[in-house]
């Protein structure tokens, strides 16, 4: 990236030569991406299970500006759960330090969500509850509030807006990022690497027009010093569950945890100012593996058959819970994309 030799407008001191704090991140991100892709090829596993199954796809990224090469994985899960399994413990995700708020609204059980944890989850954006803004080190209450509102907007743009999820138009989402961030993140949408931050519904399936996605999760914010730059970090952890028509398994889900970074603007060039994607981690559950290999979301096909094998002990409903750990076993074993998924 280019240098910025200008202070923000509220400083009148003469320009001071400072190293660009984001210099070299793009090259570093590309190197980490190559390592991630190699590791994913090595750890792909095949699972076996029941006839009526739920699939999962997992993706993990831990680098600023890193376009991950999502692993294509699948976990086989039973279609039903006993009462004891439904109440069985499951691994949970730790809550980061900071000020947090969790989804507080609720909705009436309807349609395909009935009998799952999502039956009472709020509908759409009502599931995104923001914590009250307070000042943190390096940032005023007003700055924190502005960042929280921007995160709310990017979550809606990435996971809920028809323009994105059905139209596959990422422009509104990208516009919310810092100019230099959107340049690289924009490439994620040309290589199916976007699924950890945005939803694209497979054109081969149809969303249920009577059911909004159900949403549950939390938002946490804190401040940190990253490469000597005070940075406001907003961490979101949400499960997004979509309803579909014409399939035996009429829902599919994405669970993600994303850290959105807002570096303090002093000494940053204009194109570096704004929101960046810090780290992401996610999985897709109850899905069509072939669609997921192309970054698309579709429910488990009714035509799927498997070889009988050991049954997992964890209730498949746990994958629809926002507090579940995002560390899952790999399962989709190199699915072959069909023409309808290209």
């Amino acid at each position: 990236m280019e240098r910025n030799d200008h202070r923000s407008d509220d400083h009148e001191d003469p320009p001071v030569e400072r190293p660009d704090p984001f210099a070299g991140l793009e090259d570093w991100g590309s190197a980490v991406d190559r390592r991630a892709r190699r590791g994913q090829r090595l750890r792909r596993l095949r699972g076996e299970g029941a006839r009526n199954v739920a699939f999962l796809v997992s993706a993990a990224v831990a680098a600023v500006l890193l376009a991950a090469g999502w692993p294509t994985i699948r976990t086989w899960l039973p279609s039903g759960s006993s009462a004891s399994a439904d109440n069985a413990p499951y691994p949970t995700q730790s809550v980061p330090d900071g000020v947090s708020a969790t989804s507080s609204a609720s909705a009436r059980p309807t349609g395909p969500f009935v009998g799952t944890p999502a039956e009472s989850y709020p509908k759409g954006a009502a599931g995104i509850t923001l914590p009250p803004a307070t000042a943190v080190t390096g940032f005023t209450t007003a700055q924190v509030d502005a960042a929280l509102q921007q995160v709310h907007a990017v979550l809606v743009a990435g996971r809920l807006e028809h323009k994105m999820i059905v139209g596959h138009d990422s422009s509104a989402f990208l516009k919310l990022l810092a100019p230099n961030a959107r340049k690289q993140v924009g490439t994620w949408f040309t290589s199916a690497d976007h699924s950890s931050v945005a939803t694209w519904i497979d054109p081969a399936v149809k969303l249920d027009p009577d059911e909004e996605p159900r949403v549950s999760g939390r938002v946490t914010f804190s401040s940190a010093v990253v490469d000597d730059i005070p940075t406001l970090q907003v961490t979101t952890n949400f499960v997004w569950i979509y309803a579909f028509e014409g399939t035996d398994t009429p829902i599919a889900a994405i669970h993600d945890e994303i850290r959105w970074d807002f570096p303090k603007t002093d000494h940053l060039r204009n194109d570096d100012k704004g929101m960046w994607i810090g780290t992401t981690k996610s999985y897709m559950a109850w899905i069509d593996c072939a669609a997921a290999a192309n970054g698309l979301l579709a429910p488990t096909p009714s035509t799927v058959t498997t070889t009988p094998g050991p049954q997992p002990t964890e209730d498949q409903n746990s994958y629809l819970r926002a507090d579940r750990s995002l560390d899952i076993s790999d399962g989709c074993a190199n699915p072959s994309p069909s023409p309808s998924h290209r």
Side-chain angles (χ1 to χ4, degrees):
M1 297 182 186
E2 300 177 8
R3 295 181 48 81
N4 173 38
D5 294 326
H6 300 284
R7 294 174 179 264
S8 57
D9 294 338
D10 56 351
H11 289 77
E12 297 181 357
D13 296 339
V16 177
E17 290 290 333
R18 296 176 182 270
D20 183 355
F22 290 102
L25 279 182
E26 294 186 43
D27 291 341
W28 171 75
S30 297
V32 176
D33 185 31
R34 289 193 295 271
R35 291 195 296 273
R37 290 174 186 269
R38 287 197 296 270
Q40 288 150 10
R41 285 196 294 269
L42 291 173
R43 68 172 182 267
R44 288 175 180 168
L45 302 174
R46 181 178 179 86
E48 297 179 345
R51 158 68 178 85
N52 221 352
V53 297
F55 301 113
L56 295 99
V57 160
S58 168
V61 191
V64 174
L65 299 180
L66 174 59
W70 309 141
T72 310
I73 56 181
R74 177 171 56 188
T75 293
W76 307 90
L77 300 170
S79 60
S81 309
S82 65
S84 59
D86 189 52
N87 295 319
Y90 53 89
T92 57
Q93 188 79 353
S94 61
V95 179
D97 293 336
V99 181
S100 287
T102 58
S103 301
S104 56
S106 62
R108 181 173 58 87
T110 58
F113 302 110
V114 174
T116 75
E119 67 178 5
S120 62
Y121 290 173
K123 297 180 179 182
I128 306 172
T129 300
L130 298 176
T134 59
V136 294
T137 303
F139 297 88
T140 66
T141 298
Q143 289 172 325
V144 171
D145 183 66
L148 290 173
Q149 296 302 325
Q150 194 166 354
V151 166
H152 185 281
V154 81
L155 292 175
V156 171
R159 297 296 191 193
L160 298 175
E161 286 187 355
H162 188 276
K163 180 179 182 179
M164 171 71 87
I165 67 175
V166 175
H168 300 179
D169 182 345
S170 60
S171 59
F173 176 92
L174 293 172
K175 188 177 180 180
L176 292 165
L177 302 178
N180 275 337
R182 74 178 68 126
K183 291 177 183 177
Q184 186 164 353
V185 174
T187 66
W188 299 8
F189 294 91
T190 63
S191 57
D193 290 342
H194 61 271
S195 60
S196 220
V197 296
T199 303
W200 278 9
I201 300 298
D202 186 351
V205 297
K206 184 179 180 181
L207 288 170
D208 187 335
D210 297 326
E211 299 290 348
E212 290 186 66
R214 298 296 179 100
V215 179
S216 181
R218 60 169 164 74
V219 179
T220 305
F221 69 86
S222 62
S223 66
V225 177
V226 180
D227 294 331
D228 297 325
I229 305 171
T231 302
L232 177 63
Q233 298 183 328
V234 181
T235 302
T236 60
N237 185 316
F238 282 92
V239 60
W240 315 84
I241 301 146
Y242 303 83
F244 297 83
E245 289 187 319
T247 177
D248 292 343
T249 308
I251 61 175
I254 299 176
H255 182 190
D256 62 46
E257 182 170 89
I258 306 169
R259 197 189 75 225
W260 310 89
D261 288 348
F262 297 81
K264 196 170 180 64
T265 59
D266 294 356
H267 318 306
L268 295 183
R269 68 187 299 260
N270 287 335
D271 284 354
D272 289 336
K273 296 178 180 179
M275 179 166 56
W276 294 72
I277 297 176
T279 62
T280 79
K281 193 171 186 178
S282 71
Y283 63 73
M284 302 168 75
W286 299 22
I287 52 90
D288 178 347
C289 285
N294 290 277
L296 303 172
L297 183 70
T300 304
S302 58
T303 55
V304 169
T305 58
T306 69
T307 303
Q311 299 299 308
T313 57
E314 184 176 344
D315 171 27
Q316 66 175 355
N317 279 330
S318 72
Y319 294 94
L320 304 183
R321 300 182 189 276
D323 65 342
R324 195 208 182 278
S325 169
L326 285 100
D327 295 322
I328 66 168
S329 299
D330 294 1
C332 277
N334 302 318
S336 299
S338 66
S340 63
H341 296 134
R342 295 184 184 278

